Amino acid sequence: DVNATGITRQEALCRVSLDGVPVTAVTLMADIIDNLSSIIIETGGNNATGFYKKYGDGTLEVYGRKPLFLDVTTAYGSLFRTAIATTIPYPTGAVFDLTNCIPVVTVSAKDALIQRYQDSTANDFSIYAIKPTSSLNQSLTFEWMAKGRWKP
């Protein structure tokens, strides 16, 4: 109760929840801050290969865009795909390991699909572009994102 006499606990900073006059909850800010570590960005950066964000709880996000012109001409069942896999590097400049990550990749063309060629390594991943029709010098932009850990 707000009108109660005497102090039973004193903290430097608290969040007090009120329902009219009675106090319904007192939460220590230290507890709130501990819960925010997953959304607080400790550091981030970018370079020619993409962007990265390191969160306080050890989560790592990397993402980027890669525009390419590819020949999608190799028969693949009733479809066509690129003859060789396209390797997309993760951003450099930060210490992290994305070996066990599965990147999420989208492609700009409405009639194109992505086939993952190899699992993620610490430095990159590889994909094929697949289309229902053969096309030379096809303009495709790959947008990708992967999550991993930068600290245990």
Side-chain angles (χ1 to χ4, degrees):
D1 183 75
V2 173
N3 297 316
T5 58
I7 297 174
T8 57
R9 185 169 180 165
Q10 186 175 16
E11 293 291 334
L13 196 54
C14 295
R15 177 177 66 185
V16 178
S17 300
L18 299 173
D19 182 13
V21 175
V23 174
T24 59
V26 176
T27 306
L28 302 177
M29 288 307 288
D31 293 339
I32 294 169
I33 291 170
D34 283 344
N35 293 332
L36 292 177
S37 67
S38 65
I39 61 171
I40 294 174
I41 299 172
E42 285 200 12
T43 187
N46 67 292
N47 57 37
T49 59
F51 300 84
Y52 68 91
K53 291 179 188 174
K54 293 179 175 181
Y55 292 88
D57 68 349
T59 300
L60 171 73
E61 286 182 358
V62 292
Y63 54 98
R65 298 180 87 225
K66 187 168 181 88
L68 295 169
F69 289 92
L70 299 172
D71 292 337
V72 186
T73 56
T74 301
Y76 186 67
S78 62
L79 304 171
F80 294 88
R81 75 174 188 183
T82 49
I84 58 171
T86 299
T87 298
I88 299 179
Y90 289 125
T92 55
V95 177
F96 51 78
D97 184 4
L98 294 166
T99 303
N100 297 317
C101 292
I102 298 174
V104 175
V105 184
T106 61
V107 64
S108 59
K110 291 180 183 178
D111 63 343
L113 301 171
I114 301 298
Q115 178 190 28
R116 195 164 41 95
Y117 168 67
Q118 72 178 31
D119 289 335
S120 182
T121 70
N123 301 311
D124 58 35
F125 63 96
S126 296
I127 56 173
Y128 287 102
I130 300 174
K131 292 183 51 93
T133 57
S134 179
S135 58
L136 292 172
N137 207 26
Q138 173 74 47
S139 174
L140 298 170
T141 298
F142 299 99
E143 294 184 354
W144 56 271
M145 188 274 246
K147 281 190 173 186
R149 305 279 308 159
W150 68 275
K151 68 179 180 180

